[in-house]
Amino acid sequence: MKVDVLLGLQWGDEGKGKVVDVLTPNYDVVVRFQGGPNAGHTLEFEGQKYVLRSIPSGIFQGDKLNVIGNGVVLDPALFKAEAESLEASGHPLKERLHISKKAHLILPTHRILDAAYEAAKGKSKVGTTGKGIGPTYTDKVSRNGLRVGDILHNFEEKYLAAKARHEAILKSLNYEYDITELERTWMEGIEYLKQFHLVDSEHEINNLLKAGKSVLCEGAQGTMLDVDFGSYPFVTSSNTICAGACTGLGVAPNKIGEVYGIMKAYCTRVGAGPFPTELFDETGKRIRDLGHEYGAVTGRERRCGWIDLVALKYAIMINGVTQLIMMKSDVLDDFDTIKACVGYKIGGKEIDYFPYDIKEDDIEPIYVEMPGWKTDMTKYTSENEFPEEFNAYIDFLETELETPIKIISIGPDRDQTIVRYTE
């Protein structure tokens, strides 16, 4: 069997959780391969709304196995709160969720370091969520991290050494803090973690593949936040692209099958950093309000703009996307005109590729305009009901991106998802 990968193609918040939930019945296993609790996946069904931070979005579909892979960074306190909330709502986890021993732990001092580093940057802030993601990945790369498997072997000694190292850094930054409550809930989370199956996930996943089981990988954030290929330095601290599934799970590149790339019918971004198609006018505010564009974890207001096909072509190339999934099409239902960015003008020169660096002041987006469909599509159940103008928008995107759009979302509920069967 092959491993199929589902990931975001923009700056995150594309709706990956909903699509994983919709696709899960087709798979035996759902795995998360990177990122941490700074990524919120929102799902709505049966009149309920759920926000997942670290737990894979396949957790709601019966007895499917879900795995948190080695590429993930895990905060035990936040994980405990998330898991207990799910269990209280009738979704048992203990038997259907496995956690990689090689996943790195976010320590209480990582969260404090995150805040201290941002404070020290002043106006140059990256706009982190303050969840300790960057400092945890820093420790991982510098070979100073603690992993889930460490809680089973001489943990207190390892933890105190890591804490002391962090406290020395905080002292050098003259940063005042109180770790008492953070540490208390974190230690409770460590004890809670011990109740789960802690596994050598690379062996488990490859053995499942050998046994003919189908696996869906769930990415967090989006391609344009990838630490190598995103809008650096305004990026996350992990590889959000398809290749990250190999290193974040321990599967070989030749095991990758379908690559589902998720995009919105427009574009959003949270936090600081360049965003070529951002709208600062009433249209941008209207998209934000209609799309309820606020962070699932942080509640932060998302910046909104028209779809950026330059960045999308780049993301499709980097990931080897085989199928596109377009979310929140319904948000544009009442617009007279729809725009799509097909190129950038930088210093008077027009380009149609994603450059080394994109600076907010230097880029002017080049737009193509199309008529809106002016139709409420939220009740549709088939692509045969799509208005002519919406079909024209889909055709235009498929031509520009040279990739088929196979699934279209027309609302937040899992039932508001249309699979296209056209060739």
mmCIF file of all heavy atoms in Angstrom, residues 2 25 45 55 66 98 110 113 115 178 202 204-205 221 231 306 319 325 335 361 378-379:
data_model
loop_
_atom_site.group_PDB
_atom_site.id
_atom_site.type_symbol
_atom_site.label_atom_id
_atom_site.label_comp_id
_atom_site.label_asym_id
_atom_site.label_seq_id
_atom_site.Cartn_x
_atom_site.Cartn_y
_atom_site.Cartn_z
ATOM 1 N N LYS A 2 0.270 2.356 -0.424
ATOM 2 C CA LYS A 2 0.940 3.648 -0.425
ATOM 3 C C LYS A 2 0.393 4.527 0.706
ATOM 4 O O LYS A 2 -0.702 4.303 1.212
ATOM 5 C CB LYS A 2 0.708 4.366 -1.763
ATOM 6 C CG LYS A 2 1.295 3.654 -2.963
ATOM 7 C CD LYS A 2 2.801 3.870 -3.060
ATOM 8 C CE LYS A 2 3.345 3.337 -4.366
ATOM 9 N NZ LYS A 2 4.797 3.580 -4.518
ATOM 10 N N PRO A 25 -13.052 7.621 6.233
ATOM 11 C CA PRO A 25 -13.693 6.316 5.972
ATOM 12 C C PRO A 25 -12.993 5.494 4.890
ATOM 13 O O PRO A 25 -13.160 4.271 4.839
ATOM 14 C CB PRO A 25 -15.115 6.711 5.545
ATOM 15 C CG PRO A 25 -15.369 8.000 6.249
ATOM 16 C CD PRO A 25 -14.051 8.715 6.204
ATOM 17 N N PHE A 45 -19.847 18.797 12.670
ATOM 18 C CA PHE A 45 -20.790 17.798 12.196
ATOM 19 C C PHE A 45 -21.777 17.487 13.312
ATOM 20 O O PHE A 45 -21.489 17.662 14.490
ATOM 21 C CB PHE A 45 -20.078 16.511 11.735
ATOM 22 C CG PHE A 45 -19.140 15.915 12.754
ATOM 23 C CD1 PHE A 45 -19.598 15.024 13.705
ATOM 24 C CD2 PHE A 45 -17.791 16.261 12.767
ATOM 25 C CE1 PHE A 45 -18.744 14.468 14.643
ATOM 26 C CE2 PHE A 45 -16.925 15.708 13.700
ATOM 27 C CZ PHE A 45 -17.406 14.809 14.638
ATOM 28 N N ILE A 55 -4.098 16.114 18.065
ATOM 29 C CA ILE A 55 -4.697 14.813 17.754
ATOM 30 C C ILE A 55 -5.170 14.796 16.299
ATOM 31 O O ILE A 55 -5.802 15.740 15.840
ATOM 32 C CB ILE A 55 -5.870 14.540 18.710
ATOM 33 C CG1 ILE A 55 -5.336 14.437 20.154
ATOM 34 C CG2 ILE A 55 -6.615 13.269 18.322
ATOM 35 C CD1 ILE A 55 -6.414 14.397 21.205
ATOM 36 N N ASN A 66 -5.331 6.185 14.912
ATOM 37 C CA ASN A 66 -4.719 7.494 14.699
ATOM 38 C C ASN A 66 -3.357 7.513 15.371
ATOM 39 O O ASN A 66 -3.196 6.992 16.479
ATOM 40 C CB ASN A 66 -5.599 8.599 15.278
ATOM 41 C CG ASN A 66 -6.848 8.855 14.453
ATOM 42 O OD1 ASN A 66 -6.940 9.839 13.735
ATOM 43 N ND2 ASN A 66 -7.825 7.954 14.541
ATOM 44 N N HIS A 98 -2.257 6.308 19.080
ATOM 45 C CA HIS A 98 -0.888 5.944 19.425
ATOM 46 C C HIS A 98 0.013 7.169 19.269
ATOM 47 O O HIS A 98 -0.234 8.023 18.417
ATOM 48 C CB HIS A 98 -0.376 4.805 18.537
ATOM 49 C CG HIS A 98 -1.086 3.513 18.754
ATOM 50 N ND1 HIS A 98 -0.740 2.340 18.086
ATOM 51 C CD2 HIS A 98 -2.133 3.173 19.553
ATOM 52 C CE1 HIS A 98 -1.532 1.365 18.467
ATOM 53 N NE2 HIS A 98 -2.388 1.836 19.352
ATOM 54 N N HIS A 110 9.988 26.116 27.327
ATOM 55 C CA HIS A 110 9.941 26.418 25.891
ATOM 56 C C HIS A 110 8.913 27.519 25.615
ATOM 57 O O HIS A 110 9.145 28.414 24.794
ATOM 58 C CB HIS A 110 9.567 25.166 25.088
ATOM 59 C CG HIS A 110 10.699 24.224 24.873
ATOM 60 N ND1 HIS A 110 10.567 22.855 24.998
ATOM 61 C CD2 HIS A 110 11.998 24.437 24.533
ATOM 62 C CE1 HIS A 110 11.727 22.273 24.741
ATOM 63 N NE2 HIS A 110 12.611 23.210 24.458
ATOM 64 N N LEU A 113 10.367 30.779 26.831
ATOM 65 C CA LEU A 113 11.399 31.216 25.886
ATOM 66 C C LEU A 113 10.772 31.820 24.634
ATOM 67 O O LEU A 113 11.262 32.815 24.089
ATOM 68 C CB LEU A 113 12.299 30.033 25.498
ATOM 69 C CG LEU A 113 13.385 29.640 26.496
ATOM 70 C CD1 LEU A 113 13.995 28.300 26.096
ATOM 71 C CD2 LEU A 113 14.470 30.711 26.562
ATOM 72 N N ALA A 115 7.982 33.438 24.357
ATOM 73 C CA ALA A 115 7.538 34.797 24.673
ATOM 74 C C ALA A 115 8.724 35.742 24.832
ATOM 75 O O ALA A 115 8.687 36.891 24.376
ATOM 76 C CB ALA A 115 6.696 34.782 25.950
ATOM 77 N N ASP A 178 6.962 33.374 35.834
ATOM 78 C CA ASP A 178 6.567 32.475 36.916
ATOM 79 C C ASP A 178 6.159 31.156 36.277
ATOM 80 O O ASP A 178 5.169 31.090 35.542
ATOM 81 C CB ASP A 178 5.408 33.075 37.707
ATOM 82 C CG ASP A 178 5.002 32.189 38.899
ATOM 83 O OD1 ASP A 178 5.588 31.105 39.063
ATOM 84 O OD2 ASP A 178 4.081 32.593 39.644
ATOM 85 N N GLU A 202 7.664 4.552 13.469
ATOM 86 C CA GLU A 202 8.185 4.238 12.131
ATOM 87 C C GLU A 202 8.030 2.752 11.824
ATOM 88 O O GLU A 202 7.705 2.361 10.694
ATOM 89 C CB GLU A 202 9.640 4.688 11.992
ATOM 90 C CG GLU A 202 10.643 3.961 12.889
ATOM 91 C CD GLU A 202 10.769 4.562 14.279
ATOM 92 O OE1 GLU A 202 9.793 5.148 14.778
ATOM 93 O OE2 GLU A 202 11.850 4.422 14.874
ATOM 94 N N GLU A 204 5.728 0.783 13.344
ATOM 95 C CA GLU A 204 4.297 0.509 13.312
ATOM 96 C C GLU A 204 3.689 0.857 11.956
ATOM 97 O O GLU A 204 2.961 0.049 11.360
ATOM 98 C CB GLU A 204 3.591 1.294 14.419
ATOM 99 C CG GLU A 204 2.088 1.046 14.440
ATOM 100 C CD GLU A 204 1.411 1.718 15.621
ATOM 101 O OE1 GLU A 204 1.560 2.946 15.774
ATOM 102 O OE2 GLU A 204 0.726 1.013 16.379
ATOM 103 N N ILE A 205 4.010 2.036 11.446
ATOM 104 C CA ILE A 205 3.409 2.476 10.189
ATOM 105 C C ILE A 205 3.879 1.623 9.021
ATOM 106 O O ILE A 205 3.088 1.217 8.161
ATOM 107 C CB ILE A 205 3.710 3.968 9.947
ATOM 108 C CG1 ILE A 205 2.962 4.812 10.988
ATOM 109 C CG2 ILE A 205 3.296 4.390 8.538
ATOM 110 C CD1 ILE A 205 3.394 6.243 11.053
ATOM 111 N N GLN A 221 -0.435 23.522 9.446
ATOM 112 C CA GLN A 221 -0.036 24.783 8.796
ATOM 113 C C GLN A 221 -0.193 24.684 7.269
ATOM 114 O O GLN A 221 -1.105 24.044 6.798
ATOM 115 C CB GLN A 221 1.396 25.177 9.200
ATOM 116 C CG GLN A 221 1.528 25.661 10.630
ATOM 117 C CD GLN A 221 1.917 24.552 11.591
ATOM 118 O OE1 GLN A 221 2.545 23.567 11.234
ATOM 119 N NE2 GLN A 221 1.547 24.698 12.835
ATOM 120 N N SER A 231 7.704 31.721 3.255
ATOM 121 C CA SER A 231 8.096 33.136 3.228
ATOM 122 C C SER A 231 8.988 33.456 4.435
ATOM 123 O O SER A 231 8.620 34.223 5.312
ATOM 124 C CB SER A 231 6.858 34.026 3.207
ATOM 125 O OG SER A 231 5.969 33.662 4.262
ATOM 126 N N TRP A 306 -7.338 37.960 -2.192
ATOM 127 C CA TRP A 306 -7.725 37.115 -3.321
ATOM 128 C C TRP A 306 -6.758 35.936 -3.466
ATOM 129 O O TRP A 306 -5.631 35.970 -2.961
ATOM 130 C CB TRP A 306 -7.745 37.930 -4.617
ATOM 131 C CG TRP A 306 -8.764 39.020 -4.652
ATOM 132 C CD1 TRP A 306 -8.541 40.359 -4.735
ATOM 133 C CD2 TRP A 306 -10.196 38.868 -4.612
ATOM 134 N NE1 TRP A 306 -9.729 41.057 -4.752
ATOM 135 C CE2 TRP A 306 -10.773 40.161 -4.679
ATOM 136 C CE3 TRP A 306 -11.053 37.756 -4.531
ATOM 137 C CZ2 TRP A 306 -12.137 40.372 -4.657
ATOM 138 C CZ3 TRP A 306 -12.425 37.973 -4.517
ATOM 139 C CH2 TRP A 306 -12.961 39.264 -4.584
ATOM 140 N N ASN A 319 5.281 20.157 -3.713
ATOM 141 C CA ASN A 319 4.644 19.005 -3.063
ATOM 142 C C ASN A 319 4.340 17.839 -3.995
ATOM 143 O O ASN A 319 4.031 16.748 -3.519
ATOM 144 C CB ASN A 319 3.341 19.449 -2.397
ATOM 145 C CG ASN A 319 3.564 20.329 -1.194
ATOM 146 O OD1 ASN A 319 4.140 19.912 -0.200
ATOM 147 N ND2 ASN A 319 3.114 21.584 -1.268
ATOM 148 N N ILE A 325 -8.097 20.307 -3.618
ATOM 149 C CA ILE A 325 -9.340 20.400 -2.867
ATOM 150 C C ILE A 325 -9.567 21.871 -2.558
ATOM 151 O O ILE A 325 -8.703 22.516 -1.952
ATOM 152 C CB ILE A 325 -9.260 19.578 -1.566
ATOM 153 C CG1 ILE A 325 -9.012 18.097 -1.888
ATOM 154 C CG2 ILE A 325 -10.523 19.758 -0.736
ATOM 155 C CD1 ILE A 325 -8.670 17.240 -0.683
ATOM 156 N N PHE A 335 -20.326 37.805 -4.319
ATOM 157 C CA PHE A 335 -19.454 38.844 -4.866
ATOM 158 C C PHE A 335 -19.754 39.066 -6.350
ATOM 159 O O PHE A 335 -19.910 38.105 -7.112
ATOM 160 C CB PHE A 335 -17.977 38.456 -4.693
ATOM 161 C CG PHE A 335 -17.482 38.649 -3.280
ATOM 162 C CD1 PHE A 335 -17.787 37.726 -2.280
ATOM 163 C CD2 PHE A 335 -16.721 39.752 -2.938
ATOM 164 C CE1 PHE A 335 -17.339 37.905 -0.982
ATOM 165 C CE2 PHE A 335 -16.263 39.945 -1.648
ATOM 166 C CZ PHE A 335 -16.580 39.025 -0.661
ATOM 167 N N ASP A 361 6.227 45.633 0.501
ATOM 168 C CA ASP A 361 6.234 46.921 -0.202
ATOM 169 C C ASP A 361 6.649 46.805 -1.668
ATOM 170 O O ASP A 361 6.376 47.697 -2.468
ATOM 171 C CB ASP A 361 7.185 47.898 0.499
ATOM 172 C CG ASP A 361 6.735 48.194 1.920
ATOM 173 O OD1 ASP A 361 5.528 48.077 2.186
ATOM 174 O OD2 ASP A 361 7.595 48.522 2.761
ATOM 175 N N THR A 378 -24.688 26.737 -0.649
ATOM 176 C CA THR A 378 -24.495 25.954 0.569
ATOM 177 C C THR A 378 -25.415 24.738 0.676
ATOM 178 O O THR A 378 -25.128 23.822 1.446
ATOM 179 C CB THR A 378 -24.685 26.845 1.812
ATOM 180 O OG1 THR A 378 -25.981 27.463 1.759
ATOM 181 C CG2 THR A 378 -23.623 27.937 1.863
ATOM 182 N N LYS A 379 -26.509 24.729 -0.067
ATOM 183 C CA LYS A 379 -27.443 23.597 0.009
ATOM 184 C C LYS A 379 -27.225 22.598 -1.136
ATOM 185 O O LYS A 379 -27.921 21.575 -1.216
ATOM 186 C CB LYS A 379 -28.898 24.098 -0.037
ATOM 187 C CG LYS A 379 -29.261 25.091 1.059
ATOM 188 C CD LYS A 379 -29.157 24.485 2.442
ATOM 189 C CE LYS A 379 -29.623 25.494 3.499
ATOM 190 N NZ LYS A 379 -29.435 24.973 4.871
#
